[in-house]
Amino acid sequence: MTPDNRAAYWKSNLRLLAILLIFWFVVPFVFGIILVEPLNTIQLGGYPLGFWFAQQGSIYVFLVIIFVYARSMSRLDKKFDVDES
Amino acid sequence: MTNLDIWTYSVVGFTFAMYIGIAIWARAGSTGEFYVAGGGVHPVANGMATGADWMSAASFISMAGLIAFNGYGASVFLMGWTGGYVLLALLLAPYLRKFGKFTVPEFIGDRYYSQTARIVAVICLILASITYVIGQMKGIGVAFSRFLETSYEMGLYIGMGIVAIYAVLGGMKGITYTQIAQYVVLILAYTIPAIFISLSLTGNPVPQIGLGGSYAPGGGEMSLLAKLDQVVTDLGFKEYTTQVMGSSLNMFAYTLSLMIGTAGLPHVIIRFFTVPKVRDARYSAGWALVFIALLYTTAPAVGAMARLNLMDTIQVGPIGSEEGNLLYADRPEWFKKWEATGLLQFEDKNDDGRIQYYNDQNEAFAEKAESFGWKGNEMVKVDRDIMVLANPEIAGLPNWVIALVVAGGLAAALSTAAGLLLAISSAISHDLLKGVFMPRISEKAELNAGRLSMVGAILVAGYLGLNPPGFAAGTVAIAFGLAAASIFPALMMGIFMKRMNNAGAIAGMIAGIGVTLLYVFQHKGIFFIPGTSFLAPEMGMGADWFFGISPNAFGVVGAAVNFGVAFIVAAVTAPPPEHIQHLVEDVRVPRGAGEAVGH
């Protein structure tokens, strides 16, 4: 665990965070609030789509984000040799 | 005793015996066990305990009621209270676990090399947690008043007594295992009625799909949501699937405030100190959200279906027809029971002996209502908090289901109250007493001090529970504002900004919490005491004068103020010393994480 690979590890971590946080922001705030009216013109079963994102879809996306993060970080931990024994 | 009474006493009695049994079996013997359960909790088990810790009376009792009456507008709670887990998992939990201490103020005190920072964090934590506990007290009062058919006040006193026995015995170790049992009770209690109701209204047993299904009693041509939209708009209420809460901007701010607040709530954060590794902390946050999502994706179905059932119960025939409204004399049994608690009130304004339930604030509908001979909405009080508890009765489900729901509501309130009380007592006994005033205190004395401070917190929360500032969920939302404005920014900058120093963090926390409290109190009264609100609407400063953002949604503004003030102050003061910069670097990598320790 050298200072160099610590820095590289942190950089990779920040890049991953940025990508995942974009999804965290876009799905609830853009699909669920800002664009809710146009999306509501589309039906998902009996759900208006915007309403579905606000009351169901966002939550499923949050779950995916956290598990993707946990898996990717375990991989980064090993790759940069900073994992726990 | 009726059949329902027997069921309720048996189910609630059995669950209480189980919790107290577990608390005695897993009683804490050391401060390590008392604060972080010895640090050996499996990530899935911790996820389940976090679910119960997190899902409070507000989630269990109030949220579906808020959804039922606010429709789409209530999405802020659904998105806000789950999206916070993304921030927690990605930005805080793994690093704080690596740091490996007992409390949140301890991290802030060490990272900002300042006892002042630690004390400010303790004050923020106590303010946020006490506000949050009020919501639990309200929930316990509602559940007990229904269950024992007593007054709300009596219910509250009984609830306080149970929580006191329970939390003081437990410690984090006992609380963890009790919370796992409480999660099982509350999730069964929530989903079983939802499955029954979804099946009867839509023919689909999965509520998440049923809500998007068709309205089966109507022949299946119309979707359930379209039917609901029609029923409510016909009576002058706002359309269910599109009604917004305040404005889009308010909803945006509200959701973001709840997310940031969730990530900054100390009683949730400390749960991640109980897992063995950094890696476990990441996965555990995911598991917590799995268990939370089970309830949170069911709640929209419960809310919508409860609203439809309620409207159908009262409006039995075509609107405006002679026999379209339910005769008061024919009101169902559940109606009478809830009237007895005062949470449901009827007033026959036009003396026709029938119940009219419509929106009399809607001017466009007023003329029509007058032509029917209606003289105003006669359901003068329908407390939103009763929706989940009354739901199985409204839908005519068997008595054992009703009993289970009561037990579930109590499990939700008790588990969260216990978690909050632990966060408060550890801040007082570990951060204030051992950390600041009496560093040489013995471990045994520290344990006793923690238990004593729990008792004090219960008394304060009980007093505020008797003068509640709003619905349980509304009260809780204020706690989120405080956590968002103070604790979250301090923790995040501590990890992600090596340059952040003591002066910046302290100034930021004080500014953030100050501006949030000012905004909330000017509207809701100082410490929610009625009649003490200042800057009245006559002065042009009403409830939501700041861009139409309601006090509950103000946390995000407080957080922004915190970040802004912290950046400016840190930029003009000395950078943190070298050993603190090493500490930050060390927190950022998982290797070398040990068990959580106290100093």
Side-chain angles (χ1 to χ4, degrees):
Chain A
M1 188 164 60
T2 63
D4 272 355
N5 72 358
R6 273 180 180 234
Y9 167 77
W10 188 244
K11 220 174 157 187
S12 308
N13 176 19
L14 292 182
R15 195 176 311 125
L16 178 66
L17 282 179
I19 296 167
L20 291 174
L21 287 176
I22 289 171
F23 283 96
W24 163 81
F25 180 82
V26 168
V27 176
F29 293 104
V30 178
F31 294 173
I33 297 176
I34 297 170
L35 294 181
V36 70
E37 282 177 37
L39 285 176
N40 273 345
T41 57
I42 305 167
Q43 289 279 318
L44 182 76
Y47 282 111
L49 188 60
F51 179 85
W52 181 80
F53 269 116
Q55 299 213 336
Q56 299 276 315
S58 301
I59 301 174
Y60 302 133
V61 172
F62 296 149
L63 274 174
V64 172
I65 292 172
I66 297 181
F67 280 104
V68 166
Y69 175 73
R71 274 191 67 142
S72 311
M73 284 308 283
S74 294
R75 231 175 269 151
L76 284 183
D77 291 351
K78 283 210 180 64
K79 185 178 161 195
F80 289 98
D81 190 31
V82 294
D83 59 325
E84 298 149 289
S85 46
Chain B
M1 236 191 217
T2 64
N3 176 282
L4 174 61
D5 287 341
I6 295 167
W7 270 113
T8 318
Y9 278 98
S10 324
V11 174
V12 173
F14 173 77
T15 57
F16 278 13
M18 182 167 69
Y19 307 150
I20 292 173
I22 293 171
I24 293 169
W25 166 72
R27 207 166 56 233
S30 67
T31 49
E33 288 185 341
F34 190 80
Y35 294 133
V36 295
V41 182
H42 189 276
V44 179
N46 183 56
M48 203 177 264
T50 309
D53 191 54
W54 166 247
M55 289 189 288
S56 55
S59 294
F60 189 94
I61 299 171
S62 302
M63 192 171 61
L66 281 166
I67 297 170
F69 292 97
N70 292 293
Y72 164 72
S75 308
V76 298
F77 299 110
L78 294 161
M79 296 187 288
W81 283 338
T82 53
Y85 276 82
V86 174
L87 298 179
L88 193 59
L90 272 55
L91 303 178
L92 301 182
Y95 309 106
L96 296 176
R97 173 62 196 87
K98 172 63 196 295
F99 180 68
K101 296 287 175 72
F102 282 165
T103 69
V104 170
E106 199 171 8
F107 173 80
I108 290 176
D110 284 9
R111 166 61 183 83
Y112 297 116
Y113 45 99
S114 153
Q115 290 286 37
T116 313
R118 191 171 181 176
I119 293 168
V120 172
V122 168
I123 294 168
C124 296
L125 180 154
I126 290 174
L127 277 176
S129 301
I130 287 275
T131 334
Y132 202 91
V133 120
I134 300 170
Q136 311 316 308
M137 291 297 167
K138 169 97 195 285
I140 292 171
V142 171
F144 262 97
S145 65
R146 168 65 191 82
F147 159 52
L148 296 169
E149 284 168 36
T150 59
S151 67
Y152 169 81
E153 287 77 11
M154 194 62 208
L156 193 79
Y157 293 133
I158 297 167
M160 281 166 65
I162 301 265
V163 173
I165 299 170
Y166 172 80
V168 175
L169 260 181
M172 189 55 135
K173 190 178 164 201
I175 287 174
T176 302
Y177 295 105
T178 325
Q179 281 172 337
I180 292 170
Q182 284 162 335
Y183 177 80
V184 175
V185 173
L186 79 89
I187 201 68
L188 286 176
Y190 206 83
T191 49
I192 288 174
I195 289 168
F196 274 120
I197 294 167
S198 177
L199 202 55
S200 79
L201 284 183
T202 69
N204 193 315
V206 183
Q208 288 84 346
I209 300 171
L211 182 59
S214 50
Y215 181 62
E221 303 235 325
M222 197 171 199
S223 78
L224 180 98
L225 285 167
K227 167 77 183 169
L228 180 55
D229 276 345
Q230 186 200 342
V231 169
V232 295
T233 47
D234 281 352
L235 286 164
F237 295 102
K238 285 182 191 152
E239 189 176 67
Y240 187 83
T241 55
T242 58
Q243 69 182 104
V244 291
M245 191 177 269
S247 62
S248 285
L249 177 66
N250 184 54
M251 286 183 66
F252 194 100
Y254 208 146
T255 307
L256 199 51
S257 294
L258 292 181
M259 285 184 183
I260 300 174
T262 300
L265 282 175
H267 74 285
V268 178
I269 295 172
I270 56 174
R271 283 238 51 95
F272 294 93
F273 297 171
T274 67
V275 295
K277 290 178 174 182
V278 173
R279 190 169 178 271
D280 296 331
R282 296 178 193 134
Y283 275 104
S284 195
W287 281 108
L289 190 55
V290 167
F291 295 119
I292 291 164
L294 269 175
L295 189 146
Y296 272 58
T297 55
T298 306
V302 173
M305 292 172 188
R307 179 79 180 275
L308 192 54
N309 272 334
L310 177 70
M311 307 299 286
D312 277 350
T313 302
I314 294 168
Q315 189 71 46
V316 290
I319 292 157
S321 69
E322 191 100 351
E323 313 215 311
N325 296 84
L326 184 72
L327 269 173
Y328 182 64
D330 290 348
R331 67 195 188 284
E333 206 54 36
W334 60 263
F335 199 112
K336 294 176 192 162
K337 280 186 203 154
W338 285 101
E339 277 184 302
T341 64
L343 296 172
L344 198 65
Q345 280 169 25
F346 167 75
E347 189 190 322
D348 197 357
K349 293 179 180 167
N350 63 352
D351 290 320
D352 67 346
R354 291 179 183 274
I355 306 169
Q356 281 98 43
Y357 180 36
Y358 69 103
N359 182 9
D360 56 8
Q361 306 298 312
N362 183 347
E363 284 174 21
F365 189 73
E367 203 176 319
K368 216 165 150 192
E370 210 167 313
S371 72
F372 299 150
W374 295 359
K375 297 220 168 84
N377 176 28
E378 299 181 344
M379 295 296 292
V380 287
K381 184 165 183 189
V382 184
D383 192 294
R384 289 163 208 210
D385 285 352
I386 71 175
M387 289 313 293
V388 164
L389 297 171
N391 205 19
E393 298 170 280
I394 298 175
L397 296 180
N399 283 345
W400 65 269
V401 179
I402 301 168
L404 189 61
V405 170
V406 177
L410 289 169
L414 288 171
S415 59
T416 305
L420 285 162
L421 292 164
L422 186 91
I424 295 170
S425 66
S426 63
I428 293 172
S429 60
H430 190 65
D431 290 307
L432 284 188
L433 208 60
K434 186 178 168 65
V436 180
F437 296 115
M438 299 172 67
R440 290 160 183 278
I441 191 173
S442 73
E443 191 178 311
K444 201 170 168 220
E446 192 189 338
L447 249 177
N448 287 334
R451 292 187 162 131
L452 261 181
S453 53
M454 265 186 196
V455 175
I458 292 169
L459 294 177
V460 174
Y463 169 76
L464 290 169
L466 288 171
N467 305 285
F471 312 115
T475 322
V476 164
I478 295 162
F480 283 79
L482 299 181
S486 61
I487 295 163
F488 178 82
L491 293 177
M492 195 185 153
M493 291 185 294
I495 297 159
F496 288 86
M497 271 190 72
K498 227 187 279 183
R499 177 67 178 76
M500 185 48 63
N501 62 10
N502 52 356
I506 296 167
M509 277 194 285
I510 291 173
I513 207 157
V515 82
T516 306
L517 280 182
L518 193 73
Y519 197 70
V520 172
F521 286 168
Q522 66 98 354
H523 173 53
K524 304 233 172 191
I526 295 167
F527 280 100
F528 313 116
I529 296 161
T532 57
S533 55
F534 49 97
L535 300 180
E538 306 85 73
M539 295 164 66
M541 295 176 98
D544 40 15
W545 57 273
F546 190 79
F547 295 109
I549 295 174
S550 62
N552 288 345
F554 199 71
V556 63
V557 181
V561 168
N562 184 332
F563 279 119
V565 169
F567 286 148
I568 293 166
V569 173
V572 298
T573 45
E578 202 164 334
H579 73 277
I580 295 299
Q581 309 209 14
H582 286 307
L583 179 128
V584 177
E585 273 172 20
D586 195 50
V587 160
R588 289 177 176 182
V589 295
R591 179 162 295 173
E595 254 181 37
V597 288
H599 35 79

